Structures are given as C-alpha cells and as structure tokens.
Amino acid sequence: MNIDAQQMPFERLNQLVRESACQEIVIDHCLGQRYIGGGLNGCRITINGTPGNALGAYLNGAEITVRGNVQDAAGDTMNDGVIVIHGSAGDATGYAMRGGRIYVRGNTGYRAGIHMKSYQDKTPVLVVGGCAGSFLGEYQAGGTIVVLGLGRQTGEPLVGYFCGTGMHGGKIFLRCEEPPCDLPAQVMANLAGEEDLAEIDGYLQEFCQVFGQDYPALRRQSYYVLRPNTKNPYRRLYTPN
C-alpha cells in the first residue's frame, strides 16, 4: 500500500495506516505528521520524509524505516519491534521504551533513553550512530544504549551534560578513548572488555548491515561501559538507609 501524505492531516494518515490490511506500507511526502505507527504490530512501514513527534509510540512489533530525520519522542514507550532512522532524531528518542530496538544513523537530541526499562525477556536497545545531547540515559532502569560518534568533529562531545543522571539499571556503551569527565558519582565508567562487547555485538552488526558501515573497524575501537555504582546507589539520595 502506498500513501501520499502531502498536506494530509495526521489523523487521516494514521487512520489509513491502522485500517490497512497490507503488510507493506509506504508513506511518501511525510512532513510532520504525528503518532505514525502507534501501537502497531505485524507490518512494515517505510516513511519517505520527516515524521512528527511520537513516531512508533507504544510500538508492539511492527518495523518502521524512515528515509530522513524524525522529530521528538520516536519510540516513546515502545514495547517491541524495530525503528530504523536513516537521518537524525530529535529529543527524547526511546523515552520510557521497554522493548524493541531503535537504530539512528545520525545524532539524537536531549534525553534520549530517559526512563528506559527492562522486564523479563524485554530488553530495549537504542543505538545512535552519531552523538547524543544532554541527559542521555537519565533515570535509566534497564536496557542498553550505544553511542558510536560516527562523523564526530574534532572537539565535539560524544554526549552532552548529565549523562546517566539518576541511572539505576541498564548499561550505556560509549565509543571513545576517555569517558565523560562529569559523570555523577552514582555511575561507574569502565573500559569495556570482550565480555561486555559481546553483549552488543549483534546490535553493532545489525547497525552496520542496515547503514552500510564497516563492522570490523567499528568493533576494534575503544568502548567504555557505564553502569550504576552499587556502592553509591541513587537510592541513598532519597532514603535514610
């Protein structure tokens, strides 16, 4: 099914997508329409253009590919499925996501991965090919975030300020020679070993396959892994014991 979304209200576009029985949906001339793919499963959506906020919110197994950039809150509270973004993403990418995978070829804005969480066999994954803004992984409770820094300019920070603030679960992998110097005391940063990197090998391979990157070269680079500091957990800030 092909949909020409030029000047189409987002309500009408989403109605067409929801009511379609097609397994393959292509949306052309997308420009700012919100909530595309919300809660869907069992279909593949290709978007040519720039979808608006909350792309794939509550996604439950569908696959969404965007041939362009996306606005804020892509994958908001998604439960399962895959979102592939061939451009950059706005703020709050993967907000509260609890399953599935998001791959961003370019950069992402502030508060990516905020409130990510895992439960039983659900483990959310966010891989950012470029750089991430401030508050990456804020209040992260589970899942995996990877920031690769591809195309980063000299002196450009891999992540912004307050990375991992409130983090009490999950892991953040950063491809860099040195970890951020302003990490909170409640977050530990260690050079990733082979056992650590084995956890993200499959995601790196999928990222490279989707975006045409050199996996062996990417894998040879130095990575740091950020985890909650169990000796100085955030709960001590909020409880007397």
Side-chain angles (χ1 to χ4, degrees):
M1 177 181 183
N2 284 75
I3 301 173
D4 187 345
Q6 189 167 14
Q7 297 185 342
M8 182 179 291
F10 75 90
E11 299 95 336
R12 176 58 178 160
L13 174 57
N14 286 313
Q15 180 184 17
L16 290 174
V17 171
R18 285 194 305 270
E19 293 179 353
S20 173
C22 297
Q23 296 299 303
E24 299 279 351
I25 301 172
V26 178
I27 300 173
D28 293 318
H29 304 116
C30 185
L31 187 59
Q33 287 93 342
R34 295 171 283 172
Y35 314 128
I36 298 174
L40 292 185
N41 58 22
C43 65
R44 290 182 292 273
I45 303 173
T46 299
I47 300 173
N48 297 310
T50 305
N53 291 355
L55 169 76
Y58 301 97
L59 196 70
N60 200 34
E63 298 179 15
I64 300 177
T65 298
V66 180
R67 305 288 179 181
N69 301 322
V70 303
Q71 294 183 344
D72 298 343
D76 182 351
T77 324
M78 68 182 285
N79 186 55
D80 203 353
V82 182
I83 299 177
V84 173
I85 299 164
H86 283 263
S88 292
D91 296 338
T93 305
Y95 176 89
M97 67 183 295
R98 53 200 181 192
R101 306 184 304 284
I102 300 176
Y103 295 103
V104 182
R105 173 62 183 86
N107 303 322
T108 190
Y110 293 167
R111 289 189 161 88
I114 179 175
H115 287 301
M116 282 177 64
K117 56 186 70 68
S118 298
Y119 180 69
Q120 295 182 351
D121 63 337
K122 296 290 186 182
T123 302
V125 176
L126 169 62
V127 181
V128 178
C131 301
S134 297
F135 300 101
L136 175 72
E138 185 180 30
Y139 306 119
Q140 185 181 352
T144 302
I145 299 173
V146 183
V147 183
L148 299 173
L150 297 172
R152 181 162 57 124
Q153 302 299 312
T154 301
E156 181 183 3
L158 179 64
V159 298
Y161 298 112
F162 312 114
C163 179
T165 298
M167 181 184 186
H168 54 281
K171 295 179 182 179
I172 300 174
F173 289 81
L174 305 177
R175 189 176 72 99
C176 57
E177 296 298 325
E178 295 181 353
C181 61
D182 62 344
L183 292 175
Q186 291 79 17
V187 174
M188 300 186 301
N190 300 105
L191 190 64
E194 285 301 315
E195 186 174 340
D196 296 313
L197 294 175
E199 297 180 20
I200 61 171
D201 263 341
Y203 309 131
L204 292 180
Q205 291 175 18
E206 189 170 16
F207 178 92
C208 290
Q209 182 180 8
V210 168
F211 297 119
Q213 297 296 314
D214 185 344
Y215 166 73
L218 199 61
R219 181 63 167 76
R220 286 194 298 268
Q221 303 300 313
S222 173
Y223 288 77
Y224 274 82
V225 56
L226 278 52
R227 303 180 179 88
N229 185 349
T230 57
K231 295 182 179 180
N232 189 19
Y234 266 100
R235 65 180 175 82
R236 292 185 180 178
L237 298 179
Y238 307 113
T239 61
N241 298 320

